[in-house]
Amino acid sequence: MKQLLMRFIQTILAIALLSFLVPTVRVNDYLSLIIAGIVLSLLQMILRPILKIMFLPINIVTLGLFSWVINVFILWLATQIVPGFAIQPTILLGIQLGEFGTLVLMSFLLSLTQTFIGIFIR
């Protein structure tokens, strides 16, 4: 139970930090932030293992790079489920990233942020 609560807190703090630092990550209010963190954590704990098993052959052929696509899909799904949580297309180094490119970048930043927060709160 403690591990589940810590995972929720990690995700909520990571989303809050990204919404503060990255202008294209938008969270309307604290309730949306908490719901987004809980939904994203639950999707990562429940849906990600199922999708990894389903797409295991593709993941083996791509040497694990397909896991990023699964993470991007989970992040996109969370933005669709939670009202008030959105990730808009961004410009990186003068290059206009589309919705998928922005989700890939935000998925990477979210994973990195969750890892660092996990190190500090343990």
Side-chain angles (χ1 to χ4, degrees):
M1 187 67 170
K2 181 180 176 184
Q3 187 179 19
L4 181 66
L5 183 62
M6 293 303 284
R7 180 142 180 156
F8 288 157
I9 291 171
Q10 269 183 298
T11 307
I12 291 169
L13 288 175
I15 293 172
L17 187 63
L18 282 180
S19 69
F20 179 73
L21 295 175
V22 181
T24 59
V25 177
R26 184 176 49 87
V27 179
N28 287 346
D29 54 2
Y30 291 114
L31 182 62
S32 296
L33 175 66
I34 292 169
I35 293 172
I38 291 171
V39 166
L40 189 59
S41 295
L42 289 175
L43 287 173
Q44 288 174 341
M45 289 186 302
I46 297 169
L47 190 60
R48 181 190 292 161
I50 294 169
L51 291 175
K52 281 193 173 198
I53 291 171
M54 283 177 52
F55 294 106
L56 184 62
I58 296 171
N59 208 7
I60 290 171
V61 169
T62 61
L63 301 175
L65 292 177
F66 195 76
S67 295
W68 278 44
V69 175
I70 292 171
N71 291 339
V72 167
F73 173 72
I74 289 172
L75 185 59
W76 173 81
L77 191 60
T79 61
Q80 299 301 310
I81 292 173
V82 179
F85 175 52
I87 298 175
Q88 301 164 342
T90 188
I91 298 174
L92 179 67
L93 302 173
I95 300 170
Q96 173 72 35
L97 298 177
E99 184 178 3
F100 181 76
T102 302
L103 285 171
V104 168
L105 177 65
M106 291 306 135
S107 174
F108 173 72
L109 290 176
L110 185 69
S111 299
L112 190 66
T113 308
Q114 282 177 320
T115 302
F116 282 128
I117 290 172
I119 291 170
F120 288 117
I121 64 174
R122 288 181 196 218

